[in-house]
Amino acid sequence: MVFCTLIRTFAPMNRRIYIIGVAALLCSGSLQAQERHLLDSLHYRAELQATVASGDHAPLWLNANKYGMSSLKTTNGFLRAALARPLSLDNGRKWGVGYGIDAAVAAGFTSTLVLQQAYVEGRWLKGVLTVGAKEQPMELKNPELSSGAQALGINARPVPSVRLSLPDYWAIPFTRGWLSLKGHIAYGKTTDGKWQKDFVSDNNRYTEGTLLHTKAGYLKIGPKNITLELGLEMASQFGGKSYYDINNDGQREVIENAAGLKAFWHAFVPGGSGADEVGSDYRNSEGNQLGSWVARLNIDQPSWYLGIYADHFFEDHSSMFMLDYNGYGQGQEWDTRKDRRYFLYDLKDIMLGAELKLKRIPWLNDIVVEYLYTKYQSGPVYHDHSPYISSHLGGRDDYYNHHIFTGWQHWGQVMGNPLYRSPLYNDNGSIRVTDNRFVAWHLGVGGQPLAPLHYRFLATYQTGLGTYADPLPGRHYNLSLLAEASWRFPHDWMVRGALAMDKGRLLGDNYGFQLSIIKTGILAK
């Protein structure tokens, strides 16, 4: 098999996870006999896109929630081609195999050649093992009309990972279909180290070789037209090297973050301590730990559907459980737990949303409304207990930022909700989210008035305050709009056009137009 011979030849030259996975799965003896089957009915996609804008940046909704395949430059574009074998082709079998390659040549992007996806995956019964970089959908939200998930979003480039998942709900035995589970666990490695090094200025931090762990679990209650979904999404950045600002000797301080088996375990179950905190009286869990509690109530009727959902983001225990221990002693017992006393935090920071689908009104068949509040962050005061003051207050959580890592971002785009201002917007060479305390209202509307015509409209109004450490001078407001329409032609051709704008001090006054020409199809033997 020529393909496997090439992989065996070149795999030692490249240690990327997805190459190892391709060699392991596609070169196995059991799959060689299925070569013709695995090369049949390949799905292809080719896309040419161009964006022209005025102002400081391309408008928000021409850039956001596109898995990082986008740019803030006022003039940008790409030529993109993808070839994939979906797992769904093997739905009639106990096992299934899928793979894909997706690359682009871009102008005005963070890199000229973009390897967006390269993966291979195998399924046995309900379980799926995916190796490589693949765009994973966000859960419990509309990917086209929502502003985005707060923890595991679709705003940044995918990270090459080894991912074990239960992608579809599996009914728990003996519950008569009332309880179902799905979820995933993944470990991977980020690919933006060189970009970070080139982007930052001398007095700012960057990282190289950062490892990423994500996991999520969702429970669905109810088998019929009224169901409740409850979930927990968590992530951890760990390992690699952190380079601090240049000192008086002209050198950067380098911190080697733990990357052994204990580090992998502490990423899964938060524990240990940061590399710069070893021997310190005050220790945070190893790595950058974050996540979200998510929930969605679904009411499905013959002519309409209503979904009501919530997403509570957290960076540490104080915001995860809204409870922190506060019963330390005094004097020599300052670090000893003495009393059953706790500090209770408010549940203020949350994303609330509702989605209404009108099944018999094609020209207005999907409406999404969302409200986001992130100003609290466990409060404006942070104080660790000491020999002199025993009280412990865990505030100033600084969402999406971290004191060792460059925060919840990949290639300059936040990996959660794009209303947290991504580091790509920064013009001071800093990889930080400079606006994470805000209130926002978001509206998304979609419809298909004609069989070949589909449209969507997005409107977002946001009030930003900056961060606790670096507040903005007063409240900054922003209005972002998008009007997009696509028309499908015969033979699987599609043209999509979009007009967008930003208005306000938060993102500036930006106006832009985006045009895409897309061809899809199946290469069938």
Side-chain angles (χ1 to χ4, degrees), residues 208-228:
E208 287 182 344
T210 301
L211 302 177
L212 176 68
H213 164 65
T214 65
K215 56 180 172 288
Y218 309 90
L219 174 67
K220 184 171 73 170
I221 305 170
K224 296 184 179 180
N225 61 329
I226 299 179
T227 59
L228 176 64

Side-chain angles (χ1 to χ4, degrees), residues 253-269:
E253 178 187 356
V254 181
I255 290 181
E256 294 267 2
N257 299 303
L261 289 178
K262 283 188 177 181
F264 277 76
W265 175 251
H266 288 153
F268 182 74
V269 179

Side-chain angles (χ1 to χ4, degrees), residues 8-23:
R8 292 190 183 101
T9 302
F10 291 103
M13 300 173 62
N14 193 330
R15 298 181 180 179
R16 292 182 182 273
I17 296 174
Y18 54 82
I19 294 296
I20 298 174
V22 171

Side-chain angles (χ1 to χ4, degrees), residues 336-353:
T336 304
R337 296 192 174 203
K338 301 289 292 183
D339 303 316
R340 292 184 178 179
R341 188 174 67 189
Y342 296 85
F343 190 92
L344 182 64
Y345 297 88
D346 295 332
L347 178 55
K348 291 184 176 180
D349 292 343
I350 197 166
M351 173 185 186
L352 298 174

Side-chain angles (χ1 to χ4, degrees), residues 329-336 387:
Q330 297 181 344
Q332 293 183 349
E333 295 181 317
W334 72 275
D335 201 24
T336 304

Side-chain angles (χ1 to χ4, degrees), residues 1 8 18 88 99 149 151 267 271 314 316 342 347 380 383-384 396 440 470 488 516 523:
M1 188 174 176
R8 292 190 183 101
Y18 54 82
S88 58
Y99 54 85
F314 57 84
D316 54 24
Y342 296 85
L347 178 55
H383 180 267
D384 262 315
R396 300 169 67 97
D470 297 299
R488 290 191 176 275
S516 303
L523 299 177

